[in-house]
Amino acid sequence: MVRKPTPVPAAAARAAAPLTLSLPEQIAAQLASRITSGAYAPGQRIMEQAVAGEFTVSRGPVREALRLLEKDGLVTILARRGAQVTNLTIPEVKEIFDIRAALNGLRDRDIAEDPRRHELLPEIEATVKHLATLARQASRGDEYAETVFKLNSLLNAATRSARLRSILGALAQQTLRYSKLGLSSEQRRRQSVRHWQELVRAIRDGDGESAQRTAERRVRDSRDAAIKKLEEAAGR
């Protein structure tokens, strides 16, 4: 039997319906949590046989789980070498976050202009208030990033465009590792909170243009912070 998934978030689509997960999806959620938490390092190989033994399953479901992770951009499957955790790269963070800036802008504008936005607003406000608390605590950087992930999942589910939900969900896991990197400093988390507070005001006021502008700025700030961390790690 596969162990119960840990509370670390997996892909948004899977997290939305945990009771309907297939066996490969359950395994993928576990492995994704380890990758995004850093338990599996970039470049590390994930051995099919070892995972199958851990979860007491055949190699078939594990192989399918790794294919799901490859679709999420978390592993690369190499011929005759198996699966390897993808490396964090500057070109990838630029590409992903530039796409997300545009898509999150469209998403947040849609939510702000939705006549039913007030039904969602209390949950958004409560989550942003929690973010403000986390931002002031240096030791809770990962929890802050994971809460942002959950907030984005909430907003993804709330947009009226099914196509937009699907595309944003597909980018979710690739984004989380970079978001944790970009939100690792207290200064960045405080900046992030201000952007989320601006979004709350825009949604409350029904100001779609402001919501879109705030979303784009929030994602680009996260992109730039992640790039800076990667450059520092490379000694540039």
Side-chain angles (χ1 to χ4, degrees), residues 6-57:
T6 62
V8 180
R14 299 185 199 114
L19 296 180
T20 63
L21 296 181
S22 67
L23 183 57
E25 287 171 333
Q26 291 180 60
I27 297 169
Q30 287 274 19
L31 298 179
S33 294
R34 296 174 188 179
I35 293 170
T36 57
S37 70
Y40 286 163
Q44 181 174 340
R45 290 181 65 191
I46 300 178
M47 309 303 293
E48 281 185 16
Q49 189 60 51
V51 175
E54 178 185 355
F55 293 121
T56 321
V57 296

Coordinates of all heavy atoms in Angstrom, one line a residue, residues 6-57:
T6 N 2.1 13.2 2.2 CA 2.5 14.2 3.2 C 1.8 15.5 2.9 O 1.3 15.7 1.7 CB 4.0 14.5 3.1 OG1 4.3 15.0 1.8 CG2 4.8 13.2 3.4
P7 N 1.7 16.5 3.8 CA 1.0 17.7 3.6 C 1.7 18.7 2.7 O 1.1 19.7 2.3 CB 0.9 18.3 5.0 CG 2.0 17.7 5.8 CD 2.1 16.3 5.2
V8 N 2.9 18.4 2.2 CA 3.6 19.3 1.3 C 2.8 19.2 0.0 O 2.5 18.2 -0.5 CB 5.0 18.9 1.0 CG1 5.7 19.8 0.0 CG2 5.8 18.8 2.4
P9 N 2.5 20.4 -0.6 CA 1.6 20.4 -1.8 C 2.2 19.7 -3.0 O 3.3 19.8 -3.3 CB 1.4 21.9 -2.1 CG 2.6 22.6 -1.5 CD 2.9 21.7 -0.3
A10 N 1.3 18.9 -3.7 CA 1.7 18.4 -5.0 C 1.0 19.2 -6.1 O 0.6 20.3 -5.9 CB 1.2 16.9 -5.1
A11 N 1.0 18.7 -7.3 CA 0.4 19.5 -8.4 C -1.0 19.9 -8.1 O -1.8 19.2 -7.5 CB 0.4 18.6 -9.7
A12 N -1.3 21.1 -8.6 CA -2.6 21.7 -8.2 C -3.8 20.8 -8.6 O -4.7 20.7 -7.8 CB -2.8 23.0 -8.9
A13 N -3.7 20.2 -9.7 CA -4.9 19.3 -10.2 C -5.0 18.1 -9.3 O -6.1 17.7 -9.0 CB -4.6 18.9 -11.6
R14 N -3.9 17.6 -8.8 CA -4.0 16.4 -7.9 C -4.5 16.8 -6.5 O -5.3 16.2 -5.9 CB -2.7 15.7 -7.8 CG -2.2 15.2 -9.2 CD -0.9 14.4 -9.0 NE -0.3 14.3 -10.3 CZ 0.9 14.9 -10.6 NH1 1.6 15.5 -9.7 NH2 1.4 14.8 -11.8
A15 N -4.0 18.0 -6.0 CA -4.3 18.4 -4.7 C -5.8 18.7 -4.6 O -6.4 18.7 -3.5 CB -3.5 19.6 -4.3
A16 N -6.4 19.1 -5.7 CA -7.8 19.5 -5.7 C -8.8 18.3 -5.5 O -9.9 18.5 -5.0 CB -8.2 20.1 -7.0
A17 N -8.3 17.1 -5.7 CA -9.2 15.9 -5.6 C -8.4 14.7 -5.0 O -8.2 13.7 -5.7 CB -9.8 15.6 -6.9
P18 N -7.9 14.8 -3.8 CA -7.0 13.8 -3.3 C -7.6 12.4 -3.1 O -7.0 11.4 -3.2 CB -6.6 14.3 -1.9 CG -7.7 15.3 -1.5 CD -8.1 15.9 -2.8
L19 N -9.0 12.4 -3.0 CA -9.6 11.1 -2.8 C -9.8 10.3 -4.1 O -10.1 9.1 -4.1 CB -11.0 11.3 -2.2 CG -11.0 11.9 -0.8 CD1 -12.4 12.1 -0.2 CD2 -10.1 11.1 0.2
T20 N -9.5 10.9 -5.3 CA -9.7 10.2 -6.5 C -8.3 9.9 -7.2 O -8.3 9.6 -8.4 CB -10.5 11.1 -7.5 OG1 -9.8 12.3 -7.8 CG2 -11.9 11.4 -6.9
L21 N -7.3 10.0 -6.5 CA -5.9 9.8 -7.1 C -5.8 8.3 -7.4 O -6.1 7.4 -6.6 CB -4.8 10.2 -6.1 CG -4.7 11.7 -5.7 CD1 -3.6 11.9 -4.7 CD2 -4.6 12.5 -6.9
S22 N -5.2 8.1 -8.6 CA -4.8 6.7 -9.0 C -3.5 6.4 -8.2 O -2.9 7.2 -7.6 CB -4.6 6.6 -10.5 OG -3.4 7.4 -10.8
L23 N -3.1 5.1 -8.3 CA -1.9 4.7 -7.6 C -0.7 5.4 -8.1 O 0.1 5.9 -7.3 CB -1.7 3.2 -7.8 CG -0.5 2.5 -7.1 CD1 -0.5 2.8 -5.6 CD2 -0.5 1.0 -7.4
P24 N -0.5 5.5 -9.5 CA 0.7 6.3 -10.0 C 0.6 7.8 -9.5 O 1.7 8.4 -9.2 CB 0.5 6.2 -11.5 CG -0.2 5.0 -11.7 CD -1.2 4.9 -10.6
E25 N -0.6 8.4 -9.4 CA -0.7 9.8 -9.0 C -0.3 9.9 -7.5 O 0.3 10.9 -7.1 CB -2.1 10.3 -9.2 CG -2.4 10.5 -10.7 CD -3.9 10.8 -11.0 OE1 -4.8 10.4 -10.2 OE2 -4.2 11.5 -12.0
Q26 N -0.7 8.9 -6.7 CA -0.3 9.0 -5.3 C 1.2 8.9 -5.2 O 1.8 9.7 -4.4 CB -0.9 7.8 -4.5 CG -2.4 7.9 -4.4 CD -3.0 6.7 -3.6 OE1 -2.6 6.4 -2.5 NE2 -3.8 5.9 -4.2
I27 N 1.8 8.1 -5.9 CA 3.3 8.0 -5.8 C 3.9 9.2 -6.4 O 4.9 9.8 -5.8 CB 3.8 6.7 -6.7 CG1 3.2 5.4 -6.0 CG2 5.3 6.7 -6.7 CD1 3.5 4.2 -6.9
A28 N 3.4 9.8 -7.5 CA 3.9 11.0 -8.0 C 3.8 12.2 -7.0 O 4.7 13.0 -6.9 CB 3.2 11.4 -9.3
A29 N 2.7 12.2 -6.3 CA 2.5 13.3 -5.3 C 3.6 13.2 -4.2 O 4.1 14.2 -3.8 CB 1.1 13.2 -4.7
Q30 N 3.9 12.0 -3.8 CA 4.9 11.8 -2.8 C 6.3 12.2 -3.3 O 7.0 12.9 -2.6 CB 5.0 10.3 -2.4 CG 3.8 9.8 -1.5 CD 4.0 10.1 0.0 OE1 4.9 10.9 0.4 NE2 3.3 9.4 0.8
L31 N 6.6 11.8 -4.5 CA 7.9 12.1 -5.0 C 8.0 13.6 -5.3 O 9.1 14.2 -5.1 CB 8.2 11.3 -6.3 CG 8.2 9.8 -6.1 CD1 8.4 9.1 -7.5 CD2 9.3 9.3 -5.1
A32 N 6.9 14.2 -5.8 CA 7.0 15.6 -6.1 C 7.2 16.4 -4.8 O 8.0 17.4 -4.8 CB 5.6 16.1 -6.7
S33 N 6.6 16.0 -3.7 CA 6.8 16.7 -2.4 C 8.3 16.6 -2.0 O 8.8 17.6 -1.5 CB 6.0 16.0 -1.3 OG 4.6 16.2 -1.6
R34 N 8.9 15.5 -2.3 CA 10.3 15.4 -1.9 C 11.2 16.3 -2.8 O 12.2 16.8 -2.4 CB 10.8 13.9 -2.1 CG 10.1 13.0 -1.1 CD 10.4 11.5 -1.3 NE 9.6 10.7 -0.5 CZ 9.6 9.4 -0.5 NH1 10.5 8.7 -1.3 NH2 8.8 8.6 0.3
I35 N 10.9 16.4 -4.1 CA 11.6 17.2 -5.0 C 11.5 18.7 -4.6 O 12.5 19.4 -4.5 CB 11.2 17.0 -6.5 CG1 11.6 15.5 -6.9 CG2 11.8 18.0 -7.4 CD1 11.0 15.1 -8.2
T36 N 10.3 19.1 -4.4 CA 10.0 20.5 -4.1 C 10.5 20.9 -2.7 O 10.8 22.1 -2.5 CB 8.6 20.9 -4.3 OG1 7.8 20.1 -3.4 CG2 8.1 20.8 -5.7
S37 N 10.6 20.0 -1.8 CA 11.2 20.3 -0.5 C 12.7 20.2 -0.4 O 13.3 20.6 0.5 CB 10.6 19.3 0.5 OG 11.2 18.0 0.3
G38 N 13.3 19.7 -1.5 CA 14.8 19.6 -1.6 C 15.3 18.3 -1.0 O 16.5 18.0 -1.0
A39 N 14.4 17.4 -0.6 CA 14.8 16.0 -0.2 C 15.5 15.3 -1.3 O 16.5 14.5 -1.1 CB 13.7 15.2 0.4
Y40 N 15.0 15.5 -2.5 CA 15.7 15.0 -3.7 C 16.4 16.2 -4.4 O 15.7 17.2 -4.8 CB 14.7 14.4 -4.7 CG 14.2 13.0 -4.3 CD1 13.1 12.5 -4.9 CD2 14.8 12.2 -3.4 CE1 12.5 11.2 -4.6 CE2 14.3 10.9 -3.0 CZ 13.2 10.5 -3.7 OH 12.7 9.2 -3.3
A41 N 17.6 16.2 -4.5 CA 18.4 17.3 -5.0 C 18.3 17.4 -6.5 O 18.2 16.3 -7.2 CB 19.8 17.3 -4.6
P42 N 18.5 18.6 -7.1 CA 18.6 18.7 -8.6 C 19.8 17.8 -9.1 O 20.8 17.7 -8.5 CB 19.0 20.1 -8.8 CG 18.3 20.8 -7.7 CD 18.5 19.9 -6.5
G43 N 19.5 17.0 -10.1 CA 20.5 16.1 -10.7 C 20.4 14.7 -10.1 O 21.1 13.8 -10.7
Q44 N 19.7 14.5 -9.0 CA 19.7 13.2 -8.4 C 18.9 12.2 -9.1 O 17.8 12.6 -9.7 CB 19.2 13.3 -6.9 CG 19.1 12.0 -6.2 CD 18.7 12.3 -4.7 OE1 18.8 13.4 -4.2 NE2 18.2 11.2 -4.1
R45 N 19.4 11.0 -9.2 CA 18.6 9.9 -9.9 C 17.5 9.4 -9.0 O 17.8 9.2 -7.8 CB 19.5 8.8 -10.4 CG 20.4 9.3 -11.6 CD 21.3 8.1 -12.0 NE 20.5 7.0 -12.6 CZ 20.9 5.8 -12.9 NH1 22.2 5.5 -12.6 NH2 20.2 4.9 -13.4
I46 N 16.4 9.0 -9.5 CA 15.3 8.4 -8.7 C 15.2 6.9 -9.3 O 14.9 6.7 -10.4 CB 14.0 9.1 -8.9 CG1 14.1 10.5 -8.4 CG2 12.9 8.3 -8.1 CD1 12.8 11.3 -8.5
M47 N 15.6 6.0 -8.4 CA 15.6 4.6 -8.9 C 14.3 3.9 -8.8 O 13.7 3.9 -7.7 CB 16.7 3.8 -8.0 CG 18.0 4.6 -7.9 SD 18.8 4.9 -9.5 CE 19.1 3.2 -10.0
E48 N 13.8 3.4 -9.9 CA 12.5 2.8 -10.0 C 12.4 1.7 -9.0 O 11.3 1.6 -8.2 CB 12.2 2.2 -11.4 CG 11.8 3.2 -12.4 CD 11.4 2.6 -13.7 OE1 11.2 1.3 -13.7 OE2 11.4 3.3 -14.7
Q49 N 13.4 0.8 -8.9 CA 13.3 -0.4 -8.0 C 13.2 0.0 -6.6 O 12.5 -0.6 -5.8 CB 14.5 -1.3 -8.3 CG 14.4 -2.6 -7.6 CD 13.1 -3.4 -8.0 OE1 12.9 -3.6 -9.2 NE2 12.3 -3.9 -7.1
A50 N 14.0 1.0 -6.2 CA 14.0 1.5 -4.8 C 12.6 2.1 -4.4 O 12.1 1.8 -3.3 CB 15.1 2.5 -4.6
V51 N 12.0 2.9 -5.3 CA 10.7 3.5 -5.1 C 9.7 2.4 -5.0 O 8.8 2.4 -4.1 CB 10.4 4.5 -6.1 CG1 8.9 5.0 -5.9 CG2 11.3 5.7 -6.1
A52 N 9.7 1.4 -5.9 CA 8.8 0.3 -5.9 C 8.9 -0.5 -4.6 O 7.8 -0.9 -4.0 CB 9.0 -0.6 -7.1
G53 N 10.1 -0.7 -4.1 CA 10.2 -1.4 -2.8 C 9.7 -0.6 -1.7 O 9.1 -1.2 -0.8
E54 N 9.9 0.7 -1.7 CA 9.5 1.5 -0.6 C 8.0 1.5 -0.5 O 7.4 1.4 0.6 CB 10.0 3.0 -0.8 CG 9.5 3.9 0.3 CD 9.8 5.4 0.0 OE1 10.6 5.6 -1.0 OE2 9.4 6.2 0.8
F55 N 7.3 1.6 -1.6 CA 5.8 1.7 -1.6 C 5.1 0.3 -1.8 O 3.9 0.2 -1.8 CB 5.3 2.6 -2.7 CG 5.7 4.1 -2.4 CD1 6.5 4.7 -3.3 CD2 5.3 4.7 -1.3 CE1 6.8 6.1 -3.1 CE2 5.7 6.0 -1.1 CZ 6.4 6.7 -2.0
T56 N 5.9 -0.8 -1.9 CA 5.4 -2.1 -2.0 C 4.5 -2.2 -3.2 O 3.4 -2.7 -3.1 CB 4.7 -2.6 -0.7 OG1 5.4 -2.1 0.4 CG2 4.7 -4.1 -0.6
V57 N 5.0 -1.8 -4.4 CA 4.3 -1.9 -5.6 C 5.2 -2.4 -6.7 O 6.4 -2.5 -6.5 CB 3.7 -0.5 -6.0 CG1 2.7 0.0 -5.0 CG2 4.8 0.5 -6.3

